Amino acid sequence: MKHVSESVEPATISRLPRELREKRLLELRLEAETGALAQWQRHEQLAPRATPETGYYGHPLLKKPQWTKEIPLYFFCGGAAGAAAIIATVAGSTGRNESLARDARAIAAIGGAVSPALLISDLGMPSRFLNMLRIFKVQSPMSVGSWTLVAFSSSSAAAAFLSALQLRGYANKLRALRSASQFLSAISGAVISSYTGVLLGATAIPVWNQNAALLPAHFATSGLAAAGALLELRGHESPALNAIGLATSVTETVVSASIELRKNPALKPLKSGSSGWLTRIGGLLSGPVPLLFRLLALVGDEKRGRKYKKIAAASAVAGSFAARFAWTKAGAASAEDTALVLRNHS
C-alpha cells in the first residue's frame, strides 16, 4: 500500500476524509519543520556565533557615523563664529572698543559662511541641505540647528556688511537695521556654539549619549575660548578677552579632569586608543596649558606677559580644534564596541 503523501496530490487534500486530511496536514507540517531545522543548522555552521564582542553575527549593533572631516571642522568653525558674534554684540553695545567689535563681526561672518559650505560638502549636494529646511521641528536638534545656521549665516553677514557701511557715513540711516542684525546674530550664535553638543547627545552612541549634559556646555565653552583667542591673535589686548581666556581654560581643565576621573565604561573611547590620545591632547591644549601661561602673564613683565598670552591663545585654538575631532573619533569607536552598546542599553 502506498504512503499517503505519495498517493494524494495537495489539490485533493480538501476532498479526503477527515482522518486522512489531518494526517496529510501533519506530514506537511513535519516536512516544513525538518527543512527549516536543516536550513538553520547549515546557517549556524557557516555564520559566526553572535557574541557581545562581535555583535550580531559579526555586525555591530550600531552604525558608526559616516561623517567626513568636514563635520568636526564645521563644529569648530560654527562654535567659534557663534561665540564671536556674542563678543561682537557685547563690545559693540558698550561702544568702548569698536575695533574689537568689528573684528569679532568679521570672524562671525567668515565662520557663518564657511559652516554651511562644510555641511553641504559632507552631505554631498546642496539639495540635501535644502531638504532639511522643508519643515521645522522643535523636537529635532538637526532641524533646529539647520534653521539656526541659516539665520546665523545671514544675520552675521548682514552685521559685518552694515558695520562696514557705518565707516563710510551711513550710520544714521542703517542704525536700526544694524542693531537688529547684530542682535539676531548674537542670539543665533549662542545656539550655534552649543547645539552640536545637543545633536551628539541625542544619539544612541554610548560615549555621546552618556555625556548629553556635558557636551553642549563643553562645546560652548570651547567655542568661546577659540573666539576670544582668535581675537587676541589678531592683536587685541582687551582685559575682557584675557578674563574669557582664564575662565574658559579653568572650565576646560575641569572637564578634562572629570573625564579622566569618572569610571563610566561609556568613556572608554575617550581614554584609550587613538581617540583617547586625541582627547587628552585636546584637553591639555584647551585647559592646563593656556591656564598656566595666562597665570604666568599676570606675574611677569608687560612684554613677556603679551608673549605668554599669545601662546595661551594659540594653545586654546589648537585645543578647541582637536577636541571636535576627538569627540567625533570617539563616537565612531564607541559605536563599534558592541559590548559597550549592550551594557549601555541593558
Side-chain angles (χ1 to χ4, degrees), residues 66-151:
Q66 301 300 308
W67 292 339
T68 59
K69 293 180 180 179
E70 281 88 345
I71 291 301
L73 282 172
Y74 159 59
F75 289 168
F76 170 76
C77 292
I86 299 173
I87 295 174
T89 302
V90 174
S93 63
T94 61
R96 295 178 180 177
N97 198 335
E98 184 57 34
S99 175
L100 172 63
R102 185 172 62 253
D103 285 346
R105 290 189 202 105
I107 292 175
I110 294 171
V114 171
S115 294
L118 291 170
L119 185 56
I120 291 171
S121 176
D122 176 74
L123 292 173
M125 58 183 67
S127 59
R128 291 178 178 173
F129 180 72
L130 294 176
N131 286 336
M132 296 166 67
L133 303 175
R134 291 190 301 171
I135 58 174
F136 179 79
K137 293 178 64 176
V138 179
Q139 301 89 342
S140 170
M142 184 171 292
S143 177
V144 173
S146 300
W147 277 97
T148 304
L149 179 59
V150 171

Side-chain angles (χ1 to χ4, degrees), residues 275-294:
S275 59
W277 281 109
L278 190 55
T279 300
R280 289 189 173 100
I281 291 172
L284 186 67
L285 293 175
S286 298
V289 171
L291 178 60
L292 174 62
F293 279 98
R294 290 193 184 277

Side-chain angles (χ1 to χ4, degrees), residues 31-45:
E31 288 177 8
E33 291 176 354
T34 303
L37 179 61
Q39 184 178 5
W40 178 80
Q41 289 175 340
R42 287 195 301 271
H43 178 71
E44 284 292 298
Q45 292 173 356

Side-chain angles (χ1 to χ4, degrees), residues 9-323:
E9 296 295 329
T12 64
I13 291 179
S14 60
R15 295 196 295 270
L16 291 174
R18 182 174 180 179
E19 280 188 23
L20 292 177
R21 185 166 68 246
E22 291 181 353
K23 187 174 182 180
R24 177 55 180 153
L25 291 174
L26 180 60
E27 289 176 352
L28 291 173
R29 188 179 298 112
L30 291 174
E31 288 177 8
E33 291 176 354
T34 303
L37 179 61
Q39 184 178 5
W40 178 80
Q41 289 175 340
R42 287 195 301 271
H43 178 71
E44 284 292 298
Q45 292 173 356
L46 296 174
R49 300 288 295 178
T51 66
E53 289 74 25
T54 62
Y56 185 74
Y57 295 104
H59 297 283
L61 297 181
L62 295 179
K63 186 177 182 180
K64 71 176 183 179
Q66 301 300 308
W67 292 339
T68 59
K69 293 180 180 179
E70 281 88 345
I71 291 301
L73 282 172
Y74 159 59
F75 289 168
F76 170 76
C77 292
I86 299 173
I87 295 174
T89 302
V90 174
S93 63
T94 61
R96 295 178 180 177
N97 198 335
E98 184 57 34
S99 175
L100 172 63
R102 185 172 62 253
D103 285 346
R105 290 189 202 105
I107 292 175
I110 294 171
V114 171
S115 294
L118 291 170
L119 185 56
I120 291 171
S121 176
D122 176 74
L123 292 173
M125 58 183 67
S127 59
R128 291 178 178 173
F129 180 72
L130 294 176
N131 286 336
M132 296 166 67
L133 303 175
R134 291 190 301 171
I135 58 174
F136 179 79
K137 293 178 64 176
V138 179
Q139 301 89 342
S140 170
M142 184 171 292
S143 177
V144 173
S146 300
W147 277 97
T148 304
L149 179 59
V150 171
F152 173 72
S153 300
S154 304
S155 58
S156 59
F161 177 70
L162 294 172
S163 175
L165 289 181
Q166 181 186 13
L167 298 177
R168 300 187 178 185
Y170 295 94
N172 293 331
K173 296 180 180 179
L174 301 172
R175 181 173 298 168
L177 185 58
R178 183 169 64 91
S179 299
S181 61
Q182 286 179 355
F183 178 76
L184 179 58
S185 177
I187 295 298
S188 57
V191 178
I192 285 295
S193 64
S194 60
Y195 104 91
T196 49
V198 178
L199 182 65
L200 296 184
T203 67
I205 294 177
V207 72
W208 293 345
N209 180 267
Q210 293 296 304
N211 290 283
L214 171 68
L215 280 166
H218 172 39
F219 276 25
T221 302
S222 180
L224 182 60
L230 287 172
L231 289 168
E232 286 184 313
L233 293 174
R234 183 73 175 82
H236 297 283
E237 297 182 0
S238 169
L241 293 179
N242 187 52
I244 289 174
L246 278 170
T248 54
S249 60
V250 169
T251 304
E252 290 294 280
T253 301
V254 172
V255 169
S256 298
S258 69
I259 291 174
E260 289 294 334
L261 296 176
R262 286 161 59 194
K263 303 298 183 181
N264 191 335
L267 299 179
K268 178 183 176 182
L270 298 174
K271 300 180 181 182
S272 60
S274 58
S275 59
W277 281 109
L278 190 55
T279 300
R280 289 189 173 100
I281 291 172
L284 186 67
L285 293 175
S286 298
V289 171
L291 178 60
L292 174 62
F293 279 98
R294 290 193 184 277
L295 292 176
L296 290 175
L298 295 176
V299 298
D301 58 74
E302 186 176 348
K303 183 178 179 180
R304 187 172 297 176
R306 284 197 297 269
K307 180 181 178 181
Y308 286 157
K309 289 177 184 177
K310 289 289 180 69
I311 296 175
S315 177
V317 172
S320 178
F321 185 82

